[in-house]
Amino acid sequence: MSRQQLIDMTRSLVAHGEAGTMELADDVVRIPASSYTDEALFEREKKQIFRRLPLMVAPSCELPNPGDYKAMDICGVPLLLTRQKDGSVGAFLNMCKHRGNPVAAGTGNATRLMCGYHGWTYKNDGTLVGVASPQDFGAVDKAALCLTRFPVYENAGLIWATLDPQSTLDIADYLCGYDDLLKAFGFESWHLFSQRTLSGPNWKTAYDGYLDFYHLPVLHANTFGADFYNRANYFAWGPHQRLSTPTKYAVKVSSDDDMQLDLTTVADDDLSYEVLVQGVWTIFPHISIASFYGGGLRGAMISQLFPGDTVGESYTTQFYVMEHEPDDEDKIKAAREQFDFLEVVVRDEDYTTGKRQHEALQSGMLKEVLFGRNERGGQVFHQWVEKLTDASDEQLKEIFAAECKQAAE
Ligand code: FES
Ligand SMILES: [Fe+2]
């Protein structure tokens, strides 16, 4: 991980903060309103983006122990994640090779998984170990009937998988070095405190909200406060973007205690990683990571967003991860309150607004929507969605090879 890169970003934010400036995009950008409501486009996005690109499917702390597994459904694809005996993660199509029934549901811990239909058994590395009543079933080559594997990658305490077994897009290439910066959080050793799933509007409408600070003091006036900052500078690695406030202060955001530290008085060597990762880190196309503090303990909310069944629906799993597991009643209560507060903010403010906005857009009466020069995150996001939706499989590899090269320079 490049500490220097993080320091350079922080110093740039501090300089802008002191000067009272921010980095602006070149122009106001117009997006067709139909890109939020068009059903055919929505189906193409699910196919070209969610079923073809690497997705951050779980924080590592959701599967901390050998034998841990999680089954999930992403855009109609049943996915099984397992923590294998050697500590690595396996990602599989969650379908029995007999007749396709999912071999696991929900979460649990098991080294072997038995399909609940006829009883075929798999090891958690995908190997088929037992055909029920083999003397009656007939001869089959068990080695050829292992669970189908998806490409998987774990780094920085996060797990990515690509829901295309044939994908040749390297997941590390896709991340353009961004995952190495995410290591600064130290998620490898963090603890999963709690998680929940919320329903939201169109996935892009929902994701827009994670990519702008412009709305914070208005939409969140009653929760974050009407004097909350509304400016963000953007840093990009391919389609992955970090946004952070141009300010000379390190701000601890919490429902009950605010603390400010003047960063112009802190030497580079003394900048903590906690300060260096301020702001929101998004991982294209569907993740947002933001830091919070509950009862004085450091935490982060990792929001994982997926398109729903229709163009106007999405769902978001919020993972509340903590640097240290709260170890007494007061700390547990404070962490719970912080997490509940974030649920209210997202569900009652962001997503309630997004659903209303979506209904209005569905009238078809507005031809385009605008992203200002101060909303570069949304501009970049929509450009990438369009570019990647239209790209061929071959072009995908070229696009990310070029991005990696650029990020390395
Ligand atoms: S479908 Fe799995 S054992 Fe028959
Ligand atoms: Fe918001």
Side-chain angles (χ1 to χ4, degrees), residues 209 215-216 220 350:
H215 75 284
L216 297 182
H220 303 305
D350 291 304

Side-chain angles (χ1 to χ4, degrees), residues 209-210 212 215-216 219-220 224 345-346 349-350:
Y210 294 99
D212 92 58
H215 75 284
L216 297 182
L219 181 56
H220 303 305
F224 288 146
V345 171
V346 175
E349 296 177 348
D350 291 304

Side-chain angles (χ1 to χ4, degrees), residues 95-103 115-122 132:
M95 291 178 80
C96 177
K97 283 291 171 72
H98 178 215
R99 291 237 283 282
N101 186 50
V103 297
C115 176
Y117 195 173
H118 311 89
W120 285 27
T121 306
Y122 298 84

Side-chain angles (χ1 to χ4, degrees), residues 15-297:
H16 275 285
E18 281 204 290
T21 54
M22 69 183 293
E23 284 176 11
L24 297 169
D26 293 341
D27 289 302
V28 175
V29 164
R30 293 158 193 275
I31 304 280
S34 61
S35 75
Y36 292 98
T37 56
D38 184 313
E39 287 174 27
L41 178 63
F42 174 66
E43 292 303 323
R44 264 168 55 72
E45 288 168 350
K46 285 201 283 190
K47 182 164 169 279
Q48 297 287 85
I49 306 270
F50 284 87
R51 293 176 65 155
R52 195 169 66 137
L53 294 177
L55 303 173
M56 202 295 280
V57 286
S60 300
C61 57
E62 198 184 4
L63 302 162
N65 302 309
D68 287 347
Y69 67 82
K70 155 164 117 158
M72 58 197 296
D73 183 278
I74 301 175
C75 295
V77 179
L79 170 68
L80 171 66
L81 295 172
T82 66
R83 178 71 65 188
Q84 301 169 137
K85 203 156 81 182
D86 65 358
S88 66
V89 175
F92 308 95
L93 179 64
N94 186 16
M95 291 178 80
C96 177
K97 283 291 171 72
H98 178 215
R99 291 237 283 282
N101 186 50
V103 297
T107 56
N109 184 287
T111 50
R112 291 180 173 219
L113 296 159
M114 190 184 80
C115 176
Y117 195 173
H118 311 89
W120 285 27
T121 306
Y122 298 84
K123 278 209 279 196
N124 70 353
D125 65 0
T127 316
L128 173 62
V129 287
V131 169
S133 303
Q135 72 284 7
D136 303 333
F137 190 80
V140 287
D141 176 7
K142 286 214 294 260
L145 294 172
C146 298
L147 296 178
T148 300
R149 269 183 182 277
F150 292 128
V152 66
Y153 176 75
E154 183 170 32
N155 194 21
L158 301 168
I159 300 165
W160 282 264
T162 309
L163 302 183
D164 171 7
Q166 262 80 51
S167 174
T168 54
L169 175 62
D170 186 79
I171 300 181
D173 280 359
Y174 170 74
L175 293 169
C176 309
Y178 190 60
D179 51 327
D180 278 331
L181 289 171
L182 288 169
K183 276 188 179 167
F185 279 95
F187 288 143
E188 288 98 332
S189 60
W190 285 33
H191 164 80
L192 177 59
F193 175 73
S194 189
Q195 69 187 83
R196 63 164 74 89
T197 299
L198 311 175
S199 78
N202 170 269
W203 76 276
K204 290 187 292 189
T205 310
Y207 204 58
D208 283 347
Y210 294 99
L211 285 161
D212 92 58
F213 287 175
Y214 189 30
H215 75 284
L216 297 182
V218 182
L219 181 56
H220 303 305
N222 295 328
T223 45
F224 288 146
D227 56 354
F228 214 71
Y229 48 73
N230 78 344
R231 285 177 156 180
N233 281 0
Y234 294 88
F235 306 91
W237 296 260
H240 316 293
Q241 303 186 75
R242 173 197 180 189
L243 48 157
S244 198
T245 309
T247 172
K248 67 173 185 169
Y249 295 108
V251 187
K252 277 196 172 190
V253 182
S254 145
S255 52
D256 52 14
D257 94 285
D258 277 4
M259 190 197 90
Q260 290 202 323
L261 169 68
D262 182 344
L263 296 176
T264 59
T265 67
V266 182
D268 285 357
D269 286 349
D270 297 330
L271 287 169
S272 67
Y273 280 112
E274 192 171 344
V275 165
L276 290 172
V277 300
Q278 282 199 124
V280 172
W281 294 71
T282 68
I283 309 173
F284 190 86
H286 68 143
I287 301 292
S288 154
I289 302 172
S291 299
F292 293 97
Y293 297 82
L297 291 181

Side-chain angles (χ1 to χ4, degrees), residues 191-195 320-322 326 331-333 335-336 339:
H191 164 80
L192 177 59
F193 175 73
S194 189
Q195 69 187 83
Y320 196 67
V321 295
M322 299 188 75
K331 287 182 188 151
I332 292 170
K333 187 166 168 273
R336 198 167 288 139
F339 191 39

